C-alpha cells in the first residue's frame, strides 16, 4: 500500500524515522547521517552491478536495480534481519554464508520436492540479500519469477520453522520490512495515517459500488412478495 511513494521517497522517510528511533533498531547514527537525515550509501557502481550479473549469470530485476541506483545497501531491516548487503557481496546462499546453508539444508530424513519453498531446493536457488550479525535471513528467490520479470523475496527466521513471508519483488519485500519497522518501532510515522486513509477510501468505494447480479432487486422483490401474502 506504499505505491504512492517512489524509491527515493520511501527510503528518505525510512532514514528519518530510523535516525529518530535509532536505539530501538540498533542503528549507529554517524554525524553525517545526523546532518543529512540519510542512512543509505551512494548508488551502486555500474561495474559492481555488471560484475554481479556476470557472477550470477543472470540480469538483476528492475526493482532491485532501481534500489541500487539510489543506495548500494541499506543498514536497517526489521526484527533481527541485519541489513541489505552491497551488490558486490550479493551471492548464492552457499557461497555467501556456508554455515547458514548447512543449517538450513540439514538432513532431516525428508526429501524436499524440487519446487519447495523451503529446505535445500529453496536455498540452492536463493541469493542472500541480508548481511551483518543476525539470526534471521532475507532471501532473493531466483526460482520464483513473476510475469513482470521480478524475483520473489522470502525470509528465513529463527522463530519460525522455515521460510515465509514471500513477496513478489525486491520492492515488495523491502516494503514488508518497512511496514514491520513502522508498526513496532515508529508509532509516530506518517505512514500510519496514510495507510489508514487508503483503507478508509477503499472501504467507501466498496460501499458505493453497485451490487452484482440481481442483488439490487432483492430488496424490492421481497417487499412485493410480502405485500401479496394473505
Amino acid at each position: 500500500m506504499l505505491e504512492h511513494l517512489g524509491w527515493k521517497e520511501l527510503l528518505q522517510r525510512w532514514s528519518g524515522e530510523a535516525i529518530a528511533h535509532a536505539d530501538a533498531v540498533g542503528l549507529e547514527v554517524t554525524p553525517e547521517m545526523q546532518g543529512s537525515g540519510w542512512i543509505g550509501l551512494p548508488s551502486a557502481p555500474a561495474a559492481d552491478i555488471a560484475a554481479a550479473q556476470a557472477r550470477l549469470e543472470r540480469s538483476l530485476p528492475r526493482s532491485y536495480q532501481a534500489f541500487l541506483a539510489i543506495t548500494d545497501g541499506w543498514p536497517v531491516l526489521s526484527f533481527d534481519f541485519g541489513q541489505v548487503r552491497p551488490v558486490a557481496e550479493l551471492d548464492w546462499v552457499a557461497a555467501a554464508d556456508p554455515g547458514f546453508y548447512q543449517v538450513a539444508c540439514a538432513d532431516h530424513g525428508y526429501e524436499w520436492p524440487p519446487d519447495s519453498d523451503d529446505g535445500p531446493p529453496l536455498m540452492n536457488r536463493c541469493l542472500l540479500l541480508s548481511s551483518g550479525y543476525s539470526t534471521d535471513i532475507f532471501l532473493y528467490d531466483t526460482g520464483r519469477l513473476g510475469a513482470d520479470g521480478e524475483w520473489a523475496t522470502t525470509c528465513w527466521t529463527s522463530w519460525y520453522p522455515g521460510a515465509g513471508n514471500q513477496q513478489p519483488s525486491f520492492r515488495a519485500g523491502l516494503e514488508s520490512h518497512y511496514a514491520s519497522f513502522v508498526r513496532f518501532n515508529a508509532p509516530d510515522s506518517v505512514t500510519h495515517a496514510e495507510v489508514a486513509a487508503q483503507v478508509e477510501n477503499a472501504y467507501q468505494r466498496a460501499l458505493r459500488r453497485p451490487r452484482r447480479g440481481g442483488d439490487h432487486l432483492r430488496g424490492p422483490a421481497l417487499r412485493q412478495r410480502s405485500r401479496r401474502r394473505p
Side-chain angles (χ1 to χ4, degrees):
M1 303 183 73
L2 300 175
E3 296 86 355
H4 63 292
L5 296 176
W7 262 125
K8 185 68 174 180
E9 295 171 298
L10 172 63
L11 295 174
Q12 192 67 61
R13 179 178 296 185
W14 198 347
S15 286
E17 292 169 350
I19 291 172
H21 301 280
D23 290 342
V25 295
L27 175 67
E28 184 177 346
V29 179
T30 66
E32 291 77 13
M33 291 178 181
Q34 195 70 59
S36 65
W38 175 247
I39 64 174
L41 298 169
S43 59
D48 287 356
I49 296 175
Q53 293 184 132
R55 180 174 67 254
L56 303 172
E57 299 181 336
R58 60 201 67 207
S59 297
L60 298 175
R62 183 179 302 175
S63 74
Y64 180 52
Q65 292 211 42
F67 168 82
L68 293 174
I70 298 171
T71 177
D72 189 14
W74 194 246
V76 172
L77 283 170
S78 62
F79 302 115
D80 297 317
F81 283 91
Q83 53 197 325
V84 177
R85 62 179 57 220
V87 69
E89 298 176 10
L90 184 68
D91 212 337
W92 303 104
V93 174
D97 192 337
F100 166 68
Y101 179 81
Q102 291 178 5
V103 169
C105 296
D107 185 3
H108 298 292
Y110 175 72
E111 186 173 344
W112 299 89
D115 62 346
S116 173
D117 282 331
D118 218 329
L122 175 67
M123 296 303 156
N124 286 327
R125 66 175 189 257
C126 274
L127 304 170
L128 187 58
L129 284 168
S130 56
S131 67
Y133 177 75
S134 59
T135 58
D136 302 334
I137 309 296
F138 190 29
L139 300 168
Y140 216 174
D141 188 350
T142 67
R144 298 293 182 191
L145 183 67
D148 56 0
E150 295 287 336
W151 297 333
T153 65
T154 191
C155 297
W156 192 96
T157 68
S158 58
W159 44 267
Y160 181 82
N165 190 28
Q166 185 178 112
Q167 299 292 334
S169 68
F170 178 80
R171 164 79 190 217
L174 211 63
E175 278 187 16
S176 178
H177 280 288
Y178 173 66
S180 294
F181 163 82
V182 166
R183 180 181 180 186
F184 295 103
N185 300 119
D188 54 346
S189 173
V190 297
T191 304
H192 285 290
E194 289 179 352
V195 172
Q198 290 180 44
V199 171
E200 178 63 22
N201 289 337
Y203 174 67
Q204 294 298 331
R205 288 197 301 271
L207 291 179
R208 294 191 296 268
R209 188 178 302 131
R211 297 180 180 178
R212 294 182 178 180
D215 287 354
H216 63 292
L217 301 174
R218 185 172 298 166
L222 287 174
R223 287 195 295 271
Q224 289 175 9
R225 285 199 296 271
S226 66
R227 284 197 295 268
R228 289 198 295 268
R229 290 177 181 173

